[in-house]
Amino acid sequence: MLRGKFITFEGGEAAGKSTQAKRLAARLEGAGLGTLVTREPGGTPLGEDIRGLILKDHPQEPVTELLLFAAARAEHMTSVIRPALDEGTWVISDRFMDSTRVYQGKHYRIEREFISQLEKYTVAPDYPTLTLIIDLPAEVSMERANTRGTLSRYDAARLETHQLLREGFLEIADSEPDRCVIIDGMLTPDNVEAAVWQAVNERLLAKVL
Ligand code: TMP
């Protein structure tokens, strides 16, 4: 049996990732492919508890957060993502390792080498096959984040923060063009969905269907 593909959605705040993850899953199911939608932090009972710790309790120390994200990821990979891929299911994760590289690495300036080592223990060898980066201008991310009010955990009120996060994701796309596709988040949700579907067709489905 063919192994499933691992697709991640990444990007700054309130870019519409969750909606698009669900829409992509519906399209893949329509194409006859078994699909699982999951998210980070989260994806397992332990991961959802860790999500609560991070988003509600706001650890003071960035390394605390990094290790909590890594712990949640290790469980998620071992107990959900890898077994699903093994049985041929396509896995779509709403955020994954690039969020760590950008938020903990670029924003909180935790050493890249430390983050790479953690990836080695939590992700390898199942790195995402395709990463869809939903890109938004910093002003729009900031406005949407502030409207949602979910982000007291870091300095979401500062435009520079959103600019830095955006740059972080675009740098990853630039350095790993085989894995990453940038999607214009200013399009309507229907048009974002179409752009996502086009990328999935070109990068993955053309090779398996
Ligand atoms: P969201 O799921 O509503 O986007 O919220 C998750 C928050 O956690 C978001 O601000 C990004 C952040 N995050 C990290 O800082 N590092 C990570 O590794 C992940 C997965 C998320």
Side-chain angles (χ1 to χ4, degrees):
M1 181 200 284
L2 269 185
R3 241 178 148 241
K5 303 284 183 201
F6 183 21
I7 302 172
T8 56
F9 278 90
E10 297 278 9
E13 298 302 321
K17 295 180 292 299
S18 316
T19 306
Q20 293 300 332
K22 286 186 212 125
R23 290 189 181 199
L24 173 59
R27 287 203 183 224
L28 289 170
E29 293 279 349
L33 294 160
T35 307
L36 173 79
V37 179
T38 185
R39 68 171 182 179
E40 287 211 347
T44 64
L46 184 136
E48 291 295 331
D49 283 353
I50 290 178
R51 181 184 182 91
L53 285 176
I54 296 171
L55 299 182
K56 294 195 207 85
D57 295 345
H58 312 308
Q60 288 300 300
E61 166 55 55
V63 172
T64 309
E65 267 197 2
L66 172 68
L67 295 174
L68 287 171
F69 283 119
R73 185 161 303 136
E75 283 299 300
H76 194 198
M77 181 50 89
T78 306
S79 64
V80 174
I81 298 174
R82 188 165 295 133
L85 294 172
D86 284 343
E87 65 179 29
T89 301
W90 286 43
V91 178
I92 301 171
S93 188
D94 174 2
R95 292 195 185 280
F96 194 63
M97 64 179 193
D98 297 308
S99 288
T100 305
R101 292 185 189 179
V102 171
Y103 285 81
Q104 282 63 56
K106 195 164 170 86
H107 178 53
Y108 286 118
R109 297 165 180 261
I110 298 178
E111 217 178 317
R112 179 76 179 97
E113 186 47 35
F114 184 31
I115 293 176
S116 297
Q117 284 296 319
L118 286 171
E119 281 178 10
K120 214 165 94 185
Y121 287 93
T122 57
V123 181
D126 289 312
Y127 292 94
T129 333
L130 175 65
T131 295
L132 300 151
I133 294 174
I134 305 196
D135 178 54
L136 278 179
E139 294 79 3
V140 178
S141 302
M142 184 174 78
E143 200 185 298
R144 291 195 194 170
N146 290 337
T147 310
R148 287 212 309 193
T150 51
L151 276 170
S152 42
R153 58 178 280 281
Y154 72 93
D155 206 356
R158 292 179 63 232
L159 186 61
E160 300 82 70
T161 304
H162 294 276
Q163 191 59 43
L164 193 76
L165 296 172
R166 182 186 196 192
E167 281 165 18
F169 285 111
L170 294 179
E171 281 164 13
I172 292 173
D174 202 43
S175 65
E176 293 186 59
D178 289 344
R179 173 173 69 89
C180 302
V181 175
I182 298 168
I183 306 282
D184 180 359
M186 290 301 282
L187 298 171
T188 62
D190 285 351
N191 287 339
V192 170
E193 179 185 344
V196 163
W197 188 235
Q198 186 184 344
V200 170
N201 267 287
E202 284 172 9
R203 301 281 183 123
L204 303 178
L205 290 174
K207 292 170 193 156
V208 297
L209 287 184

